[in-house]
Amino acid sequence: MTEITLDTLKPGDLARITKVRVKGPARRKLFDMGMVAGSEVELVRKAPLGDPIEFQIKGYHLSIRKEEASQIFVQMIE
């Protein structure tokens, strides 16, 4: 399957995280909130200018910056 980045999903798309390439303190924060390889994530909505982006993961909603989402790789779940 083809890997894409989290920021390229559309609202309602469901995907599984394969890699997290975020560096620095944000990496630890994302890991603590469940953004780890193997987790399923759904894009809920994007802000009008595309940043931040809201996702549903592990039963809660999480908003992250588009820059961080562009460093998280996923595979689509059909």
Side-chain angles (χ1 to χ4, degrees), residues 3-48:
E3 283 187 330
I4 57 175
T5 56
L6 205 52
D7 64 315
T8 60
L9 296 179
K10 295 180 174 64
D13 285 349
L14 187 63
R16 179 168 288 116
I17 297 172
T18 56
K19 289 182 250 177
V20 178
R21 300 283 183 184
V22 178
K23 303 287 183 200
R27 181 180 176 91
R28 178 65 189 187
K29 182 177 88 177
L30 290 171
F31 282 174
D32 289 346
M33 292 188 287
M35 285 279 188
V36 296
S39 296
E40 291 184 8
V41 61
E42 178 183 358
L43 194 148
V44 177
R45 63 180 154 234
K46 293 181 178 180

Side-chain angles (χ1 to χ4, degrees), residues 4-9 21-22 26 29-30 35 43 45-55 62-73:
I4 57 175
T5 56
L6 205 52
D7 64 315
T8 60
L9 296 179
R21 300 283 183 184
V22 178
K29 182 177 88 177
L30 290 171
M35 285 279 188
L43 194 148
R45 63 180 154 234
K46 293 181 178 180
L49 297 177
D51 193 22
I53 305 172
E54 182 179 346
F55 298 95
L62 173 67
S63 294
I64 63 172
R65 294 266 179 213
K66 185 176 181 179
E67 181 182 336
E68 293 168 344
S70 69
Q71 299 172 50
I72 298 172
F73 293 84

